[in-house]
Amino acid sequence: MMATPNKTKQIYLFFFISLLLTACSHSKKVDVSNIDVNITVERFDKDFDAIRTIPTAQEVAILQNKYGVFYKDFIEQILQAGTINDTAYYNVIRQVVNAQPYKDLEHDVDSVYPNMDKQNVELTDAFRRVKYYYPQQRIPKVYAYFSGFEAQTSIGDGYFGIGLDLFLGANSKFYPSLTKAFPHYLSQFFTPDNITPRVIEGFARNEMFPEKDVDQSLLTKMIYNGKILYFMDQVLPDVPDSTKIGYTAKQLDWCKKYEPSIWGYLLEENLLYETDYNKIKKFIDVAPFTSGIGENNEAAPRLGLYEGWQIVKSYMDKHPDVTLSQLMANTNPQQILNDSKYHPK
């Protein structure tokens, strides 16, 4: 039976709306307000300061009871004060917390982080989304501490640590003296807005989807990193793309402008299946720019991550039936590339 004109129009509109909803299925912001996850960043730095004078067995026992394995990891691995089985480390604690450099750092941390209300809200929303996509995932306790300018984040058994001394803001007075370990192209991202993205990225890479040692080719590394960034897209829908990947806005604009040229270069140089890390590391490793591409050192760094991200997004756009968990479980980078039909123009 032939449909009437009005009926045909209704069917067409329904079909068009269905297409729109399907196309948006991977990008819409899901409601996670009813998921029972609430993150409160525990201020280990403040609790640790309570034993500033003479640490006692009772005070230490309180800290150990509250922070569990993190306390042991902090004393033995981060502070490197000795073993917690020998109270001789009490003397190291007293020397550290009463030294002027520690007091100066404490002053600046407290001025930037009088509280962590903003981070509590952001991390709660992010980990609710993790739980939405992965209901069985164990959610860590989150602790804030001073890392001694060693690491922004750390992960252990049931916890995720945030080194507040490496999130003080790009203009912190401490960072110019640390340029050997953290040059400006890194320290410019040591800002409060980077805390939640770095926690989620670290948790994804280390706890949920660790990279396999056998993943050697550039294509494999591109797709792995692209999947991590796509995961962050879903879990951090309000975070700018530049923050997720660790770019300045200018670097992200450069990648968008030259995306076809970047892809063409990788193909022309036969780099996708290259396994010699010395030849592909400039497309993966952290750096101020990508050498040998573009002019005046303006090429964004880690171009392999950016291209992998675009391939994964193209793949998911063309396969709205594929769930996030199915994507992350897919260990066939060649299939993802082929089915993405990725051809930037």
Side-chain angles (χ1 to χ4, degrees), residues 330-345:
N330 189 329
T331 58
N332 190 334
Q334 186 65 57
Q335 178 253 317
I336 291 176
L337 172 61
N338 291 346
D339 291 352
S340 74
K341 310 297 182 184
Y342 179 67
H343 295 291
K345 296 179 181 179

Side-chain angles (χ1 to χ4, degrees), residues 12-284:
Y12 173 79
L13 285 174
F14 178 78
F15 178 71
F16 179 69
I17 292 170
S18 297
L19 285 178
L20 284 177
L21 290 174
T22 301
C24 296
S25 62
H26 288 306
S27 59
K28 67 180 181 180
K29 188 174 180 181
V30 297
D31 181 9
V32 295
S33 59
N34 292 324
I35 294 180
D36 187 20
V37 171
N38 292 284
I39 302 295
T40 298
V41 180
E42 298 288 349
R43 294 297 296 268
F44 178 81
D45 58 311
K46 291 188 177 296
D47 288 342
F48 186 68
D49 185 59
I51 57 177
R52 179 181 295 279
T53 53
I54 301 176
T56 66
Q58 182 179 7
E59 290 170 332
V60 168
I62 292 173
L63 280 180
Q64 285 183 286
N65 183 60
K66 181 175 182 179
Y67 291 100
V69 69
F70 175 76
Y71 181 82
K72 180 178 187 295
D73 291 348
F74 179 81
I75 296 298
E76 297 182 357
Q77 299 179 30
I78 298 170
L79 195 60
Q80 297 184 8
T83 174
I84 62 171
N85 296 323
D86 183 351
T87 57
Y89 79 87
Y90 289 6
N91 291 326
V92 178
I93 290 177
R94 187 168 61 252
Q95 291 170 12
V96 169
V97 298
N98 287 291
Q100 192 59 45
Y102 185 92
K103 295 177 181 179
D104 292 341
L105 177 59
E106 183 180 40
H107 174 271
D108 281 27
V109 169
D110 287 347
S111 66
V112 177
Y113 299 103
N115 60 66
M116 300 197 71
D117 294 348
K118 181 175 183 291
Q119 286 74 30
N120 290 337
V121 171
E122 292 175 348
L123 288 167
T124 292
D125 184 77
F127 277 111
R128 283 179 177 176
R129 294 178 190 281
V130 170
K131 200 73 170 176
Y132 172 86
Y133 292 108
Y134 290 86
Q136 303 306 314
Q137 180 62 50
R138 179 187 182 191
I139 303 301
K141 293 184 178 296
V142 183
Y143 303 138
Y145 67 102
F146 298 170
S147 76
F149 302 106
E150 290 293 330
Q152 280 193 313
T153 59
S154 60
I155 191 167
D157 185 13
Y159 74 78
F160 200 101
I162 302 169
L164 293 180
D165 45 348
L166 289 176
F167 288 104
L168 291 176
N171 297 320
S172 169
K173 68 183 181 183
F174 294 103
Y175 300 153
S177 62
L178 301 171
T179 53
K180 186 174 182 179
F182 303 110
H184 178 68
Y185 72 83
L186 290 178
S187 64
Q188 65 181 319
F189 301 113
F190 291 179
T191 63
D193 287 344
N194 270 277
I195 286 182
T196 298
R198 299 293 73 84
V199 169
I200 294 301
E201 180 182 13
F203 189 73
R205 290 184 181 278
N206 293 280
E207 186 70 16
M208 298 182 71
F209 318 108
E211 187 175 15
K212 295 179 175 61
D213 292 337
V214 296
D215 295 343
Q216 298 298 326
S217 73
L218 178 59
L219 176 62
T220 303
K221 292 182 179 298
M222 287 168 58
I223 299 302
Y224 168 77
N225 284 285
K227 291 195 298 181
I228 293 294
L229 286 161
Y230 187 84
F231 175 82
M232 294 174 70
D233 286 337
Q234 311 313 305
V235 176
L236 302 168
D238 298 322
V239 172
D241 285 352
S242 56
T243 304
K244 290 174 203 162
I245 195 171
Y247 280 172
T248 64
K250 183 177 180 180
Q251 288 172 333
L252 183 61
D253 288 342
W254 187 94
C255 284
K256 291 177 179 178
K257 180 178 179 180
Y258 293 105
E259 185 178 337
S261 299
I262 299 167
W263 181 239
Y265 179 86
L266 295 177
L267 295 178
E268 290 168 8
E269 298 297 320
N270 296 315
L271 289 168
L272 289 187
Y273 306 103
E274 180 61 65
T275 58
D276 184 343
Y277 194 72
N278 288 326
K279 293 181 180 179
I280 65 176
K281 63 182 181 180
K282 72 177 183 179
F283 300 104
I284 301 296

